[in-house]
Amino acid sequence: MVSNTTTNTNSFNFKAAILSISLVFGIGGSISAILPAMQKALPNVSETGINLIATIPQAGVIIFLLLSSIFVNAMGIKKTILTGLLMMGVSGIFPMFSESYWLILISRFIFGAGIGLFNALAITIINLNFTGKEESKLLGFRGSMEGIGSTIASLLVGALVVLGWHAVFAVYFLVFIIAIYFWKFGPDISIDHKQQQQPTNQDIDVKKVNYKVWILGLMLVLLVMVQIVVIIQIPRILINRNITTAGVASTIVALNTFAGMFGGILFGSAYTKLGKMSFTAFLAGDAIGLLILSSSTNLITAVLGTILVGVFGSFMCVAAFNLMTNVTEPSERANANTILLLGCNIGSFAAPFGIKLMQEILSNNVASPFIGFAITLLVVSILFFIVRNSFYRN
């Protein structure tokens, strides 16, 4: 049974509180603009190690996604969400007061662990309080919150970066504001453990998963890795080539996120018009954006490349989830979604190693990851074009 001590589910504050917790999911990588400054401040740490500061939260997300049901069973949904938010807030601002790379890295892992505690609950809490059209509408809004939060955080980073890299982590004070708001207006739900279902906590029955789902999961490792590489490397290439400052670079990172949100709006129309050619076209479009970024010598080309990568990157990731529905039956999709979500998180975490790999294969150049992944995406687009019919129902 589901019980809710907050009865006015139609109030603005009730709905806003539920949606507000999704604002924090996209802010982990917002500090990418200060990575070059941190590299100078911590010269004994490798570039890959510095890049991990932006992506290691995903390791915490993966682990605590799988553990969150334990916390829900022990504390309930609201307290689990508040615990996750407080973990994010405290660990998020910790680097403001530390010069230790390892302590900062640990704090960033805890930051991701906080996200993992309630990532799935952000959807569950809507499912439990709303039905029908209202549920669908709020789920749609929830999907936009991550991009909005990431954009706001990146813009704030652009303003704070002039005060030094330590000050940038003050952006995570936003998490405390959201925690207070959710504590005051969010629903306090208790649910029958037999009915409690969280898609991300399921055991995967490998025998029941279509091998094409595993292929899509591996592709999402690559696709999400590319998107995170772009977020990490945009500030580096702009600063390295003296195109602009760290503050403006952070704004361009925000533009990448905004372009991704815009891509989500355009996806349905583009996917319908291109049909079986859509995924191949999206891969090629992202590759072109990466090549433009790799050759950028001014803000115009940097912004153009950023927008293309943001839009086509969004297209690719949404298309992968759409393709999953073509190769699975409804009863198989919970396991399939788990595999794809894990692919996304692994790709995000592994981005620094992808950068390092491309620099070792090509050259130790700031543009090498863009060029290397552009070539990779073009190869994948050709391979997918050859086998595309097997991913569509006739």
Side-chain angles (χ1 to χ4, degrees), residues 93-369:
I93 65 172
F94 176 82
M96 292 179 66
F97 315 104
S98 178
E99 296 282 346
S100 168
Y101 169 75
W102 289 108
L103 289 178
I104 291 173
L105 202 64
I106 291 169
S107 73
R108 296 290 289 166
F109 176 86
I110 295 172
F111 183 89
I115 295 176
L117 269 187
F118 67 98
N119 202 333
L121 295 177
I123 296 174
T124 302
I125 203 169
I126 294 174
N127 298 148
L128 293 176
N129 284 281
F130 300 93
T131 58
K133 291 182 180 180
E134 190 68 11
E135 179 185 15
S136 298
K137 182 174 72 173
L138 288 174
L139 287 173
F141 287 156
R142 194 217 67 80
S144 300
M145 291 296 104
E146 183 174 336
I148 292 171
S150 178
T151 300
I152 292 171
S154 294
L155 292 173
L156 287 174
V157 166
L160 290 168
V161 73
V162 296
L163 302 176
W165 69 264
H166 284 289
V168 164
F169 288 92
V171 72
Y172 296 124
F173 276 110
L174 288 172
V175 179
F176 291 112
I177 297 173
I178 292 170
I180 293 170
Y181 188 61
F182 183 79
W183 170 73
K184 186 171 183 180
F185 297 107
D188 191 3
I189 301 170
S190 60
I191 91 176
D192 189 325
H193 297 320
K194 293 180 181 179
Q195 293 180 345
Q196 182 179 326
Q197 294 180 353
Q198 295 184 52
T200 48
N201 293 337
Q202 296 188 44
D203 294 325
I204 301 172
D205 187 343
V206 175
K207 294 180 180 178
K208 293 183 179 180
V209 177
N210 189 316
Y211 76 93
K212 295 173 187 175
V213 173
W214 290 105
I215 292 174
L216 291 172
L218 288 173
M219 289 181 71
L220 277 168
V221 172
L222 170 65
L223 302 182
V224 174
M225 183 188 296
V226 169
Q227 297 311 106
I228 302 302
V229 165
V230 169
I231 291 173
I232 292 173
Q233 289 296 102
I234 283 176
R236 290 190 184 279
I237 200 166
L238 294 178
I239 294 170
N240 182 270
R241 293 179 177 177
N242 297 314
I243 294 174
T244 189
T245 64
V248 176
S250 182
T251 302
I252 292 177
V253 170
L255 181 62
N256 174 267
T257 304
F258 183 79
M261 292 168 57
F262 187 65
I265 296 172
L266 296 176
F267 173 79
S269 176
Y271 192 75
T272 300
K273 290 180 179 178
L274 291 171
K276 293 182 180 180
M277 284 295 298
S278 58
F279 199 58
T280 298
F282 298 160
L283 289 164
D286 202 60
I288 292 170
L290 289 172
L291 291 174
I292 292 173
L293 276 173
S294 72
S295 60
S296 293
T297 56
N298 55 62
L299 274 178
I300 294 175
T301 51
V303 167
L304 176 60
T306 296
I307 291 173
L308 286 176
V309 168
V311 171
F312 283 106
S314 174
F315 281 176
M316 289 189 306
C317 292
V318 178
F321 278 87
N322 268 38
L323 288 172
M324 179 272 291
T325 64
N326 290 340
V327 297
T328 57
E329 299 300 327
S331 61
E332 303 168 334
R333 287 173 191 165
N335 280 338
N337 273 320
T338 301
I339 292 169
L340 298 194
L341 287 170
L342 286 173
C344 291
N345 283 291
I346 292 170
S348 180
F349 169 70
F353 304 104
I355 292 172
K356 181 67 174 175
L357 177 64
M358 290 304 175
Q359 288 177 331
E360 289 184 353
I361 292 174
L362 298 176
S363 65
N364 190 21
N365 185 288
V366 71
S368 294

Side-chain angles (χ1 to χ4, degrees), residues 30-82:
S30 62
I31 50 88
S32 62
I34 61 162
L35 295 180
M38 293 188 75
Q39 182 77 73
K40 292 180 180 178
L42 303 168
N44 294 326
V45 181
S46 68
E47 182 178 312
T48 300
I50 292 295
N51 288 341
L52 272 174
I53 291 173
T55 66
I56 201 170
Q58 296 308 124
V61 172
I62 293 169
I63 294 171
F64 278 79
L65 266 173
L66 303 174
L67 297 177
S68 66
S69 61
I70 298 173
F71 289 83
V72 173
N73 290 338
M75 300 189 298
I77 289 178
K78 185 169 186 176
K79 288 181 180 178
T80 300
I81 292 173
L82 288 172

